[in-house]
Amino acid sequence: MKSAQDDLDALRERFGEAIKQARRQTWQDHSGVNTWGAYQCYGDPEYRLGGAGSRRIADSQAGYVSKAEVQVELENLASRIASADVGQSERFAGEIARIEQALPPEWRKDESINALLGRVYWVSGDFENALRAYGVADQGELTPEECDRYANAAARRAEQLLLPARSATVSGKARRPDATARQAALDLCNFAVDLLARLLRFKPTVERYSMMGSAQKRLALLQTGHEARRQFLRQMAFAYSMAARLAREAEIAHQRRRLLVGAAFTLPLFLLSMGRDLGLLGAWAGALWVDWLFLLLATPVQFYVGADYYTGAFKSLRNGSANMDVLVALGSSVAYFYSVAVLLFKSAGSMALGHHLYFETSAVIITLIVAGKLLEARAKGRTSEAIKKLIGLQPETARLVRGGVEVDVPVAGVVPGHVLRVRPGEEIPGDGRAVA
């Protein structure tokens, strides 16, 4: 005897089938139209009919009528996973599997769909399936952003193979990866390095050099020979130094651009304001339109040049602390918004808040601090280069005296108690005490 729940499930299935047929017919009649907005009128863009405890028709029936529909759903899913809280991405695994299972067989080898699947798996932290999807998509033409994620997925998967979960223990010790896992990690790292090398020739970026350094570090850990490890460590150091250099150059360019914009608006604002206060300008300087001109000059400085300070202040306050950004944003905002209030009252014919404006104060505060940030970034760059040159002065080998015989050994192999011989004109390989 059928229950009421069985009748309800049957009704949902017939209704869902009717929706699917209607959408398929719509797509056939209007094949060049994206029907994403059209079938939302049913109130269920993911075709899930019923509550959390009921059977979902989309789980057992493929309802896609176009590749564009799949791509939109995958893009939305990637955005939802990216915006989810840390550690919550695993709950999307079933939804990803549902979408992939609902794909028609001929679509499962489509490059564009697999590129989006790779992105979804990458965002969710499933790097093994991300590599599988990107491997299919790589038969076509991947965008540089997709290649970045492809290389990152390879490096992150290698890390997973090399560093087993802490909970997996044998006799109280963490399990070491076996030979198969080490070889797979080595292949993935080499693949990531090759792909990143091509991407860096296309366009060097901080993120790509950072990923290259990370991949080179893992390759160094996989080496058994001392020289091979040193070679990969040198390449790692070079990649990280290039990432730091590009980041520093980008920071200097960013601060220089902000300073130029700030100076372009602050200088005329400061000269006009001080000239009017000191009586160096004519009677025209007291007109209301001049006050509005001050507002127009101060606003770009406040909200474009000072945008970084507002962002930093918001993040700091959200974490329950206060930093320099809070002080700058608070001080400049008080001067700016008080001046706005005075200007509005003056425009309405009231002097209840006085008549003096402080737009130049807020603009000068922000511009001077940006100038300081630029000088700081340049000084850090010079200091880093000086330290790098100083480190480069250290010799790579030391002459160790052992049993009356001199042996050249790497500097890293020198330990306290060793006796070294330094000939005239040679660089001293390390700190020590002169014995002869």
Side-chain angles (χ1 to χ4, degrees):
M1 181 176 180
K2 288 187 177 181
S3 63
Q5 183 63 42
D6 293 334
D7 292 338
L8 184 58
D9 286 343
L11 179 61
R12 284 178 177 143
E13 186 166 351
R14 290 197 300 272
F15 181 61
E17 183 64 25
I19 291 176
K20 186 176 66 175
Q21 294 297 334
R23 288 175 40 250
R24 180 174 287 111
Q25 187 63 44
T26 301
W27 181 261
Q28 292 173 356
D29 295 341
H30 309 281
S31 58
V33 179
N34 188 347
T35 60
W36 177 253
Y39 56 73
Q40 286 200 51
C41 64
Y42 295 103
D44 194 2
E46 296 179 356
Y47 334 116
R48 296 177 177 182
L49 309 175
S54 62
R55 183 166 59 89
R56 291 175 174 175
I57 294 172
D59 292 339
S60 59
Q61 297 178 355
Y64 298 118
V65 296
S66 71
K67 292 181 181 180
E69 181 181 335
V70 182
Q71 292 168 350
V72 170
E73 185 166 2
L74 288 172
E75 289 173 355
N76 289 342
L77 181 57
S79 299
R80 287 165 50 204
I81 297 174
S83 60
D85 294 334
V86 178
Q88 297 295 319
S89 58
E90 292 182 358
R91 63 187 178 91
F92 294 98
E95 190 169 350
I96 302 173
R98 174 188 66 80
I99 295 175
E100 191 165 9
Q101 291 172 3
L103 293 175
E106 63 272 14
W107 291 3
R108 296 182 182 181
K109 295 184 179 181
D110 183 81
E111 290 84 359
S112 60
I113 291 179
N114 275 279
L116 286 170
L117 272 174
R119 176 187 170 191
V120 170
Y121 279 122
W122 180 82
V123 173
S124 66
D126 188 351
F127 303 114
E128 184 176 6
N129 280 317
L131 288 171
R132 174 180 57 80
Y134 276 130
V136 177
D138 196 25
Q139 297 175 7
E141 184 175 352
L142 292 175
T143 65
E145 292 77 13
E146 291 164 346
C147 289
D148 285 336
R149 285 191 284 268
Y150 195 5
N152 181 267
R156 298 285 290 276
R157 179 56 183 164
E159 182 178 10
Q160 290 177 344
L161 293 172
L162 290 174
L163 302 176
R166 295 182 179 179
S167 59
T169 59
V170 176
S171 301
K173 295 183 180 180
R175 283 205 305 258
R176 295 179 61 86
D178 56 19
T180 303
R182 287 178 62 86
Q183 185 59 45
L186 183 63
D187 294 339
L188 287 171
C189 287
N190 284 321
F191 170 77
V193 167
D194 292 340
L195 181 56
L196 287 169
R198 295 197 300 269
L199 289 169
L200 286 169
R201 286 194 294 269
F202 171 71
K203 183 181 179 181
T205 65
V206 175
E207 293 77 12
R208 288 169 183 170
Y209 270 119
S210 297
M211 284 193 291
M212 175 67 84
S214 180
Q216 296 285 4
K217 179 177 68 175
R218 295 186 182 97
L219 283 174
L221 293 174
L222 288 167
Q223 304 305 312
T224 56
H226 181 72
E227 283 302 319
R229 182 171 296 179
R230 284 172 60 87
Q231 178 183 356
F232 284 112
L233 288 176
R234 290 194 194 97
Q235 295 173 357
M236 177 199 72
F238 173 77
Y240 280 137
S241 65
M242 288 299 298
R245 177 181 176 183
L246 290 178
R248 185 169 58 249
E249 291 176 352
E251 174 66 14
I252 292 175
H254 175 64
Q255 298 296 346
R256 183 188 296 113
R257 182 169 58 251
R258 293 172 62 208
L259 179 60
L260 291 175
V261 174
F265 287 95
T266 300
L267 187 59
L269 173 61
F270 178 78
L271 293 177
L272 287 173
S273 181
M274 291 297 100
R276 184 173 70 174
D277 292 344
L278 297 175
L280 301 178
L281 304 178
W284 60 269
L288 185 61
W289 67 267
V290 177
D291 295 338
W292 283 101
L293 177 62
F294 288 174
L295 173 63
L296 293 177
L297 291 173
T299 299
V301 180
Q302 188 70 31
F303 298 109
Y304 172 73
V305 181
D308 289 353
Y309 302 117
Y310 280 107
T311 302
F314 173 75
K315 293 180 179 179
S316 178
L317 293 175
R318 186 178 58 184
N319 294 329
S321 62
N323 58 7
M324 187 65 179
D325 292 334
V326 176
L327 180 61
V328 174
L330 182 61
S332 61
S333 296
V334 168
Y336 177 85
F337 287 109
Y338 174 76
S339 300
V340 171
V342 172
L343 178 57
L344 294 177
F345 270 81
K346 288 177 66 176
S347 299
S350 173
M351 294 295 178
L353 297 179
H355 67 280
H356 193 78
L357 303 177
Y358 298 94
F359 285 121
E360 82 287 350
T361 302
S362 64
V364 168
I365 288 174
I366 293 176
T367 303
L368 288 180
I369 293 178
V370 170
K373 290 285 188 180
L374 176 59
L375 295 176
E376 179 185 5
R378 288 179 173 175
K380 286 182 178 179
R382 288 194 293 267
T383 302
S384 299
E385 291 298 327
I387 293 175
K388 188 184 302 182
K389 291 179 180 178
L390 183 61
I391 294 175
L393 295 176
Q394 184 182 21
E396 295 184 357
T397 60
R399 189 174 291 103
L400 176 63
V401 179
R402 182 181 298 164
V405 180
E406 298 180 2
V407 180
D408 289 337
V409 297
V411 173
V414 177
V415 298
H418 280 175
V419 178
L420 306 179
R421 174 164 295 171
V422 181
R423 294 174 180 174
E426 291 183 341
E427 297 172 342
I428 300 177
D431 296 334
R433 179 172 56 89
V435 294

